[in-house]
Amino acid sequence: MKIILTLLPLFILNFSYARAQNCNCPNDFGFSSSRKVDTIFHLSNGRSIALCGYRDTQVAEGRTFYSEFVLAACGEKNAIKFWDATLECQLRVMSFK
């Protein structure tokens, strides 16, 4: 039992790292492959969505806004959608049942 409790955190860390490792910024919409993922949203269905773009924390205290960003499903080559620099958006994950 002690071995299982010791190995379980290592397994969880390894699994989490493997999921995050597959999240990359897509090359479409003019984003270069060298751009780093800013935020990863982990969904309840086990999938993850990466956000690549610009973060702004100066608009409102305690709130984060994004502009000129793209969302991409982790493990996919193409983006879901692109939002340009004319918008500043707040993002959140919502659960629908």
Side-chain angles (χ1 to χ4, degrees), residues 34-85:
S34 64
R35 176 167 268 181
K36 303 286 184 210
V37 173
D38 179 85
T39 305
I40 299 174
F41 298 96
H42 299 286
L43 308 179
S44 61
N45 65 0
R47 302 219 36 208
S48 297
I49 296 178
L51 181 145
C52 301
Y54 298 100
R55 174 192 298 242
D56 186 355
T57 57
Q58 304 298 315
V59 174
E61 187 175 331
R63 296 168 66 184
T64 302
F65 290 85
Y66 298 95
S67 66
E68 197 172 355
F69 67 96
V70 65
L71 292 177
C74 295
E76 301 290 326
K77 290 183 179 181
N78 297 323
I80 296 170
K81 187 171 177 176
F82 171 75
W83 287 263
D84 63 27

Side-chain angles (χ1 to χ4, degrees), residues 12-33:
I12 291 170
L13 286 173
N14 188 34
F15 179 71
S16 298
Y17 178 74
R19 283 178 42 182
Q21 195 175 24
N22 291 331
C23 293
N24 298 310
C25 296
N27 291 334
D28 45 357
F29 298 108
F31 282 85
S32 70
S33 59

